[in-house]
Amino acid sequence: MRRVRPGAAARGGATSRAPGEERALTSVAAGDTYEGEEPQDLPRLWHVTLSVSGDEAPLKEVRRSLEQLAHDHPFLLTSRYAGDHAEIRYWEEARDLHDAAAVALRLWGEHRQTAKLPPWEIVGLEVIDRETYHQRIAEGYGPLPATPVGVHPF
């Protein structure tokens, strides 16, 4: 049996929208399941690494903006920065990877004005579950645990 997301048309099937009309996005509430699936409504921890890059900006302004972002959102573990790129690492609590990734992809744009972040674009995103993160650390792979916590130059 092939699953189709709510609101999506089956492959090759007709849609109920007029040509040029945008498709309405629908979401599945936490705890909703497809037929025959077990409920997955308990949130999990996801380790997020968000990488951004763009034109050179003054280091003092980059640092100040990342510190403001960390102040506004204390869940941020660490930020590393240079004049033309930065990396933000933190833990996100979400129902699934899709939810954690969606929040991460909105983070930079939604806080660009309030934290006066540089007009950089997101160039990388990694979202892994807690078990995978700890497994990588134990095997000597992946980034070391985010210590020291805070905003630091590369």
Side-chain angles (χ1 to χ4, degrees), residues 107-122:
L107 178 71
W108 191 260
E110 286 183 355
H111 300 287
R112 184 172 288 158
Q113 294 295 327
T114 57
K116 295 183 173 54
L117 297 167
W120 296 342
E121 68 176 331
I122 296 172

Side-chain angles (χ1 to χ4, degrees), residues 35-47:
E35 197 173 309
E37 283 187 327
E38 294 297 318
Q40 299 281 328
D41 60 350
L42 297 176
R44 296 166 41 193
L45 282 176
W46 301 90
H47 187 265

Side-chain angles (χ1 to χ4, degrees), residues 54-74:
D55 292 335
E56 189 80 22
L59 286 177
K60 285 184 179 183
E61 290 181 23
V62 174
R63 181 179 182 93
R64 189 217 40 81
S65 65
L66 290 173
E67 287 173 344
Q68 182 63 47
L69 181 62
H71 176 74
D72 293 346
H73 298 280

Side-chain angles (χ1 to χ4, degrees), residues 16-96:
S16 60
R17 55 188 155 102
E21 182 182 345
E22 287 191 33
R23 178 176 66 122
L25 296 177
T26 59
S27 65
V28 178
D32 284 359
T33 62
Y34 291 103
E35 197 173 309
E37 283 187 327
E38 294 297 318
Q40 299 281 328
D41 60 350
L42 297 176
R44 296 166 41 193
L45 282 176
W46 301 90
H47 187 265
V48 176
T49 303
L50 183 69
S51 300
V52 294
S53 180
D55 292 335
E56 189 80 22
L59 286 177
K60 285 184 179 183
E61 290 181 23
V62 174
R63 181 179 182 93
R64 189 217 40 81
S65 65
L66 290 173
E67 287 173 344
Q68 182 63 47
L69 181 62
H71 176 74
D72 293 346
H73 298 280
F75 58 82
L76 295 177
L77 288 177
T78 188
S79 298
R80 299 187 305 165
Y81 66 94
D84 62 349
H85 65 283
E87 177 186 271
I88 300 167
R89 296 172 55 197
Y90 65 95
W91 289 97
E92 180 69 54
E93 187 176 46
R95 180 176 51 98
D96 59 23

